[in-house]
Amino acid sequence: MDDDWQQQLDEIREEFIRRNDPAAWVKEADAADASLRYPNLSVRGPVFGVAVQDPAVGPEWRLLKPVTDGMPQMARDGLNSHLFFTAKDGTDDRGMRRELLAAVATLEREPVNEVEVCGVRYRVVRGDEFTRSDDDGCLEPPRPTDPEPLERSWDRQARDTQSRDIGFGLDPDHSDGPMEGALKLALRDFAYTGDRYPADMRADSERAVATHPEIVLLPVGFSVAERDEHGWRPRTVLAATPHDARRTLYNGLDEIWALLYQYDDDKKARYAKAAQEYRALDRADEFRVDDRLLRICRVERLLRMGPDGPEPPRPSDIDEYGPMKLHPTMDEDGNLTYD
């Protein structure tokens, strides 16, 4: 570790001590314990979202849409819809509506990663998901200090906890504690390596280390993973809390997977019974059904920052479809024409 890194860690440690926050100390002890029990980091792949820089709020970039989409175009579509509904319901100003609709029209035609409307910058941003594992390959489960909803409902109609990404400030100089600060410093030189990544992806990754050297760690998420002959595979989208991920697993076992994968009556009944068994365990982070091993795992994400803000999608990032018209045509008075 060079002197610059050591100085940064010392500053983070001193600030952490000055805070005098017992809850933060417990969280820090949890993180230190996890780094020993689950020392290995495994990259799961890129994820995409939308950030905004609004001079009326301040110079800082903030997340507008969660960084959870699997392709850049999905995030562009989310931005398209945000701007469309802002034009429809968020303003009575014809000039502002014209600017919003012009940006929507651009997003319908071109795979652009940034638009500016009335002085506000919107950017599709890129992050990487990663998980921790022990030396046996077992994924890290939720920690005791990870957030849980105030009311833990198992009802399928219950709303998931809102993503903590929304409104999250992208400040590379902020760290919640020494363990987070040390991880950010260690990840600065992270780049894809190995034959599993095509050459263009490796080259883009190495270039990003230079163009976007600073690291922001996004709020932790949780998902269901399943172990097969190739290792652990994600089976659900990212949830904001461990319980939201557990409820997703319960609903999958109880009925949803049977509908999706067309289980026969015997398997459907077997999984429905397994769902009730899993629910009765209340806070279980691992469960077996038939020969399947399912686990609630902790998912972390990093996002790179450069002099001009958060990293956009890379040329080697893959889209399975392109821009398209998503909404009816709107005029500057807000009238809709259904094409």
Side-chain angles (χ1 to χ4, degrees), residues 192 194-207 316:
Y192 296 163
D195 293 339
R196 62 176 289 200
Y197 299 106
D200 59 340
M201 292 183 67
R202 296 198 302 270
D204 281 351
S205 183
E206 292 169 3
R207 190 178 304 111
S316 57

Side-chain angles (χ1 to χ4, degrees), residues 48-51 63-69 75 78-79 81-82 125 165-166:
F48 305 89
V50 179
L63 292 181
L64 177 70
K65 297 287 184 180
V67 185
T68 55
D69 290 328
L79 176 56
S81 291
H82 171 80
V125 298
D165 283 11
I166 298 172

Side-chain angles (χ1 to χ4, degrees), residues 125-200:
V125 298
R126 182 194 196 280
D128 269 298
E129 286 188 337
F130 63 95
T131 54
R132 298 173 184 262
S133 61
D134 63 17
D135 290 336
D136 294 324
C138 189
L139 296 180
E140 182 187 11
R143 299 174 187 172
T145 50
D146 284 329
E148 290 280 19
L150 293 177
E151 296 184 7
R152 296 189 310 112
S153 171
W154 291 93
D155 190 332
R156 185 180 305 159
Q157 304 306 316
R159 297 185 63 181
D160 285 346
T161 305
Q162 178 175 286
S163 171
R164 291 184 294 142
D165 283 11
I166 298 172
F168 184 80
L170 301 179
D171 180 5
D173 295 326
H174 174 78
S175 294
D176 280 341
M179 291 301 298
E180 180 175 304
L183 179 59
K184 287 170 61 176
L185 289 171
L187 289 171
R188 287 187 62 163
D189 294 330
F190 160 74
Y192 296 163
T193 59
D195 293 339
R196 62 176 289 200
Y197 299 106
D200 59 340

Side-chain angles (χ1 to χ4, degrees), residues 3-19:
D3 292 340
D4 181 57
W5 282 32
Q6 186 62 59
Q7 180 181 349
Q8 292 183 57
L9 283 176
D10 289 343
E11 292 172 355
I12 292 169
R13 189 178 298 110
E14 290 171 8
E15 174 60 28
F16 184 70
I17 292 171
R18 281 197 297 269
R19 284 165 57 188

Side-chain angles (χ1 to χ4, degrees), residues 46-120:
V47 282
F48 305 89
V50 179
V52 60
Q53 186 186 47
D54 186 349
V57 177
E60 185 179 51
W61 285 89
R62 294 186 173 275
L63 292 181
L64 177 70
K65 297 287 184 180
V67 185
T68 55
D69 290 328
M71 295 183 294
Q73 188 59 46
M74 295 171 68
R76 295 184 197 110
D77 290 346
L79 176 56
N80 181 330
S81 291
H82 171 80
L83 297 175
F84 176 86
F85 286 107
T86 300
K88 178 177 179 291
D89 303 319
T91 183
D92 292 322
D93 184 282
R94 297 175 74 193
M96 183 176 181
R97 185 177 286 123
R98 277 197 301 271
E99 284 202 44
L100 287 161
L101 293 176
V104 168
T106 298
L107 287 161
E108 289 175 345
R109 298 189 309 267
E110 306 170 36
V112 296
N113 293 320
E114 183 168 335
V115 295
E116 185 171 332
V117 180
C118 299
V120 179

